[in-house]
Amino acid sequence: MSDITREEVARLADLAKIALTSAELDRLAGQLDAIVDAVAVVSGAVDESIPATSHPIELTNVMREDIPEPCLTNEESLAAAPAAEDGFFRVPRLMGETP
């Protein structure tokens, strides 16, 4: 059983720049302790006779036929645009970029 202390949680919170109250430090110490113990139990279940898998059930990729369909023309696309210029959407300049 791991023993994550309140001081360790406070140190981690400080490194992550997270402000925690005294009550939160106490609560999180217990919760993190339980999580570490649960991971240890799962890690203990690993056996060399069990092959490693990424998923317990075999997955099948479902593919569909790629059928091209008609799309909007350039004029139709720009019809609802607030601003257009030379066949393109016109947008505000970002962060002082120069053209």
Side-chain angles (χ1 to χ4, degrees):
M1 179 171 169
S2 76
D3 290 316
I4 295 182
T5 65
R6 184 178 192 279
E7 290 73 27
E8 289 171 321
V9 175
R11 171 84 172 120
L12 289 173
D14 184 52
L15 290 171
K17 306 290 187 228
I18 300 172
L20 297 175
T21 66
S22 180
E24 289 171 327
L25 288 172
D26 292 331
R27 187 182 78 238
L28 287 172
Q31 289 176 345
L32 289 173
D33 201 41
I35 291 169
V36 170
D37 289 342
V39 170
V41 169
V42 172
S43 297
V46 175
D47 187 311
E48 291 179 15
S49 65
I50 302 171
T53 59
S54 62
H55 200 279
I57 300 171
E58 183 141 350
L59 300 176
T60 318
N61 196 2
V62 179
M63 302 293 280
R64 67 171 173 82
E65 194 67 32
D66 188 11
I67 303 169
E69 295 183 8
C71 60
L72 297 174
T73 65
N74 197 32
E75 291 77 25
E76 291 171 327
S77 298
L78 295 172
E85 184 178 310
D86 297 327
F88 296 97
F89 291 100
R90 182 171 171 84
V91 296
R93 187 174 293 163
L94 298 176
M95 296 185 278
E97 294 175 349
T98 56

